[in-house]
Amino acid sequence: MSGKLYVVGTPIGNLSDMTPRAVETLKKVDFIAAEDTRVTLKLLNHFEIKNSLVSYYEHNRAQKGEQIVARILSGENCAVVSDAGMPCISDPGEDLVALCRAQGIAIEVVPGPTAAMSAVAVSGLSCSRFCFEGFLSTAKKSRFEHLEELKNESRTMIFYEAPHKLKATLADFKKYFGGERKISLCRELTKLHEEVLLISIDEAIAYYEQNDPRGEYVLVLEGAEKKKEELTLKDCLEIMLESVRSGKSKNDAARLCAKQSGFRKNELYKLLVDCEEEK
Ligand code: SAM
């Protein structure tokens, strides 16, 4: 009978965030597929876990993935972990999960912290709808295509960023989203120097002219304001006249049209009254 794959979350900085179930799982599986075996060995030592490790990272994942799947199919249980947080989230694991799914192998999640969710929760920005954008590419073309796609995104956006690229990213954010857009810079979450700054992109640029970016960052960016329909006053007049013809009061017609167009209700009401007086 085939074994199981366990997708195990590990702390993003604070070892006290390791769950008892993660410890128990890493103890009981037959082997652990780890992004960096040296990093995971430290974690295992801390929790007095003795188990065998195989390396599974970006550049060996095709070949290693097949080997890991073969071992699971032969009956061994495997846990996949990354250096920090949830595997598969901007980390290796996704392909292994897909391979196991394709083979009908049972997969269990042992959830742990993830920087993206932790950051959006403390960002101070809207958490009702958000999208995870991971790392921006350093290759100009795909980076700009990615930002262009997000220009009118109205959901809160979550990005991962390395400290040495932060200033360039803020400069690009200003180009695409404008300097007034709010951004929450969530740094070193769960660690000693945890810090969250909720400021505008312009303020963030000014701040990092004075302070060197240090540590790990999640950038949580406010979504774009939903665009009102682009209506002219002439369009509005037609809409309001139609509303009045269909039985609405002038007041209601102006109020509804103001919502739809972004023009002020009083201005629209006056336009409607003037037009009716001219008739
Ligand atoms: N799989 C991980 C997760 O679940 O969050 C993310 C791995 S990704 C390779 C590493 C990036 O996550 C960092 O560059 C940083 O953007 C973010 N990150 C990880 N730990 C963090 C922390 N403690 N505080 C802020 N950002 C963190």
Side-chain angles (χ1 to χ4, degrees):
M1 206 181 96
S2 130
K4 247 188 195 179
L5 177 72
Y6 293 87
V7 180
V8 180
T10 58
I12 56 169
N14 190 326
L15 287 176
S16 303
D17 293 334
M18 183 79 169
T19 67
R21 201 168 147 235
V23 174
E24 183 199 310
T25 306
L26 296 183
K27 277 185 181 161
K28 78 173 182 193
V29 291
D30 297 294
F31 68 103
I32 300 167
E35 182 183 6
D36 183 334
T37 52
R38 289 161 305 181
V39 172
T40 301
L41 190 58
K42 281 189 199 151
L43 185 78
L44 297 191
N45 288 340
H46 182 87
F47 290 99
E48 299 178 344
I49 301 168
K50 290 200 169 40
N51 209 329
S52 68
L53 291 167
V54 298
S55 80
Y56 176 74
Y57 59 94
E58 180 60 21
H59 299 293
N60 73 2
R61 66 192 156 101
Q63 175 213 0
K64 276 291 172 75
E66 298 288 345
Q67 290 173 12
I68 293 167
V69 168
R71 286 182 69 175
I72 302 175
L73 284 172
S74 76
E76 289 187 273
N77 291 315
C78 169
V80 61
V81 295
S82 63
D83 289 353
M86 281 305 287
C88 311
I89 310 299
S90 293
D91 262 345
E94 187 180 342
D95 293 359
L96 186 58
V97 170
L99 279 176
C100 288
R101 285 254 171 254
Q103 293 289 340
I105 290 170
I107 304 170
E108 245 181 61
V109 67
V110 182
T114 179
M117 293 302 108
S118 309
V120 75
V122 292
S123 66
L125 294 171
S126 168
C127 301
S128 58
R129 296 189 67 191
F130 53 79
C131 50
F132 176 62
E133 298 300 322
F135 288 99
L136 284 173
S137 170
T138 46
K140 274 194 181 151
K141 188 166 177 284
S142 37
R143 180 180 180 88
F144 294 150
E145 277 170 6
H146 189 169
L147 289 169
E148 187 65 41
E149 254 177 53
L150 295 175
K151 240 177 154 177
N152 298 319
E153 176 57 68
S154 58
R155 292 172 294 180
T156 300
M157 291 157 268
I158 308 170
F159 298 87
Y160 282 163
E161 194 49 287
H164 62 283
K165 296 186 193 143
L166 181 71
K167 287 187 182 184
T169 295
L170 289 174
D172 286 341
F173 278 2
K174 182 177 162 90
K175 271 187 223 149
Y176 282 83
F177 308 112
E180 285 173 18
R181 185 78 70 90
K182 286 255 181 313
I183 185 168
S184 189
L185 301 111
C186 306
R187 185 171 85 87
E188 295 286 87
L189 297 174
T190 77
K191 303 186 203 174
L192 186 63
H193 298 292
E194 175 167 339
E195 176 188 59
V196 176
L197 295 176
L198 176 58
I199 49 185
S200 70
I201 292 175
D202 275 341
E203 286 166 334
I205 290 172
Y207 180 84
Y208 284 108
E209 268 160 20
Q210 305 298 322
N211 303 277
D212 279 338
R214 286 217 181 103
E216 298 195 276
Y217 283 85
V218 181
L219 307 177
V220 185
L221 185 64
E222 182 181 49
E225 259 182 46
K226 277 223 172 97
K227 267 200 176 164
K228 302 273 185 199
E229 277 181 58
E230 283 180 9
L231 297 172
T232 62
L233 279 175
K234 190 164 167 272
D235 299 328
C236 289
L237 184 58
E238 275 167 29
I239 292 169
M240 290 188 295
L241 288 171
E242 184 52 43
S243 297
V244 171
R245 275 195 291 273
S246 70
K248 288 211 165 47
S249 67
K250 288 200 267 298
N251 197 42
D252 279 352
R255 182 176 54 77
L256 291 171
C257 191
K259 254 193 183 170
Q260 191 181 348
S261 64
F263 285 112
R264 283 177 30 242
K265 187 195 138 196
N266 288 352
E267 183 181 8
L268 293 176
Y269 184 81
K270 184 169 182 307
L271 184 72
L272 184 59
V273 171
D274 288 351
C275 169
E276 295 218 315
E277 278 171 3
E278 274 171 27
K279 276 187 192 168

